[in-house]
Amino acid sequence: MKIATQTNSWLVAKGSNLGISQIVGDTISDGLSYTNRKHMVGVSICTYGCVNNNNLLERCSTERRIANYQTHLIHTNQNVKTFNPNFNHFLMVDNGTTYLPDQEYAFRIKFLDAVSKYTPSSKNDPFSNIDQSDNSESSPRIAPVSNIVVGGNLSVFDAVSCSVISQIPCILVQNSGNAADFIIDLITSAPSRFALYNDKQKKNYIEKFILMSGNSFLKNVKNSITKAKFEDFKEDAIEILNAKHLIRWIEISPGSLARDAEDSIMDSIFACENPV
C-alpha cells in the first residue's frame, strides 16, 4: 500500500469481500488516511454473474440513481460474492454466465495493458481519446504494470498466461500455496532445453511433471476437470514457461519487515521490466 501511494499506482483486483481482494480493500480503508483514500484508485473488475444482488445494480442503472448495496448479505451459492465497499471503481464483465466465477481474468489483463499504454490527448479531457486504435502489443508502456499473484486456483494459470502474452510481468508470492507455488515449481524444474521442444513434447513434459509432482493441488485439479480444460491448462503452462523471464517470485514471511517486502516487490518489477 505504501508503494501504491508513493507512486500514484492503481490497485486492480477482483474486489469481492473475500480472500485477498478483501484484504486489499480493507487495507485501503484501514491503512490510509482519508486524504490519501480520496486519491487512491482502487479498481474492482469482477464477473457480473457472480455479483450478489446484481439485480439492485440493474435497477439502479435504469433509474439513474445510486444503488443501496449491502455487503453483509450472503448468497447460498459459494461462487456468488458481495463487493468490498472500499474500492472506488467497479467494472463488471458480463459474458452471459451465471454463478461461473473468474470469467473476468482475460479482460482484467487487457485493461491493465491498455491503461499502461494510454496517452491522454489533453489535460482537460484525459479520456477523450480512450479508443486508441494504435494501442497495439508493440506500443510502449507509459506506466509500469505488474500482476501480483498470491495462492490462487486453476484460473490463476489463465491469468498469468494472459499476462506474459501481453508482456506484463508477474510477481508470485512464494509459500502462499496452490497455483502460485506450483508455477514456481514448474519454472524451477523445467529443463534448459524446454524452449527447443515441439508442442507435443512440451505438453508431454508438463503432464509428466504433474503426475510426478508432490503438489497435491494440481493432482486434485487434474482429477476434477474435463479433458478439454486440462488441455487448456497445458497450453497456459507452455505460455508461462516460454516467457519465464517475465516471472519473479518473492517470499514474505510473517516476521519480515514491511520495508523488506516493499524492496522485494520493487526489485522484482524492475527485474521483469529489464530482463538480463
Side-chain angles (χ1 to χ4, degrees):
M1 193 60 61
K2 185 176 180 181
I3 294 173
T5 54
Q6 289 178 340
T7 59
N8 292 322
S9 299
W10 291 15
L11 296 177
V12 181
K14 185 188 293 284
S16 60
N17 211 25
L18 184 73
I20 296 299
S21 289
Q22 181 179 12
I23 293 173
V24 173
D26 290 349
T27 304
I28 292 174
S29 174
D30 300 337
L32 299 176
S33 65
Y34 175 73
T35 301
N36 285 335
R37 276 204 305 275
K38 287 197 300 182
H39 298 289
M40 169 62 70
V41 177
V43 183
S44 163
I45 300 180
C46 55
T47 302
Y48 178 75
C50 290
V51 174
N52 194 13
N53 291 311
N54 54 20
N55 60 303
L56 297 176
L57 304 174
E58 290 178 4
R59 204 175 304 154
C60 157
S61 176
T62 56
E63 297 176 7
R64 294 183 176 276
R65 62 179 174 82
I66 298 175
N68 182 20
Y69 190 81
Q70 301 178 41
T71 58
H72 68 278
L73 300 174
I74 300 175
H75 199 278
T76 53
N77 189 300
Q78 64 177 358
N79 289 331
V80 178
K81 312 297 181 187
T82 55
F83 287 132
N84 184 290
N86 298 308
F87 289 86
N88 47 23
H89 299 276
F90 295 88
L91 294 174
M92 286 164 280
V93 178
D94 183 9
N95 63 350
T97 60
T98 303
Y99 304 161
L100 188 61
D102 304 325
Q103 300 300 299
E104 77 285 349
Y105 276 124
F107 175 83
R108 189 188 306 170
I109 298 303
K110 290 180 180 178
F111 173 82
L112 292 173
D113 187 47
V115 169
S116 68
K117 295 175 179 177
Y118 176 70
T119 306
S121 58
S122 71
K123 292 183 179 179
N124 295 330
D125 189 8
F127 296 104
S128 62
N129 193 29
I130 193 66
D131 185 20
Q132 295 190 11
S133 57
D134 62 341
N135 193 8
S136 63
E137 291 183 5
S138 60
S139 300
R141 296 198 189 282
I142 307 303
V145 60
S146 64
N147 186 12
I148 299 178
V149 178
V150 182
N153 55 24
L154 189 64
S155 299
V156 165
F157 290 91
D158 185 36
V160 174
S161 174
C162 289
S163 291
V164 296
I165 289 173
S166 298
Q167 298 295 301
I168 294 177
C170 290
I171 301 172
L172 312 178
V173 177
Q174 193 170 16
N175 297 327
S176 59
N178 292 349
D181 283 342
F182 181 81
I183 292 173
I184 294 172
D185 291 342
L186 182 66
I187 292 174
T188 54
S189 302
S192 57
R193 63 185 184 278
F194 180 83
L196 302 177
Y197 290 174
N198 59 40
D199 285 346
K200 184 178 180 180
Q201 290 173 321
K202 288 179 178 179
K203 289 182 179 181
N204 288 341
Y205 168 79
I206 291 168
E207 186 161 3
K208 184 178 179 181
F209 177 80
I210 292 171
L211 292 174
M212 298 182 64
S213 171
N215 190 300
S216 59
F217 165 71
L218 254 295
K219 288 183 178 179
N220 292 336
V221 166
K222 184 179 184 300
N223 294 330
S224 62
I225 62 175
T226 64
K227 184 177 180 180
K229 284 286 187 182
F230 186 59
E231 289 300 314
D232 289 342
F233 161 76
K234 287 192 285 187
E235 292 287 353
D236 289 337
I238 289 173
E239 292 290 354
I240 289 169
L241 286 175
N242 286 341
K244 61 183 181 180
H245 61 282
L246 287 170
I247 301 174
R248 293 289 187 277
W249 48 90
I250 59 175
E251 184 174 6
I252 303 177
S253 62
S256 64
L257 297 176
R259 185 171 180 178
D260 294 338
E262 293 164 12
D263 290 344
S264 296
I265 292 173
M266 293 303 292
D267 289 346
S268 297
I269 292 174
F270 179 79
C272 289
E273 293 282 357
N274 302 274
V276 177

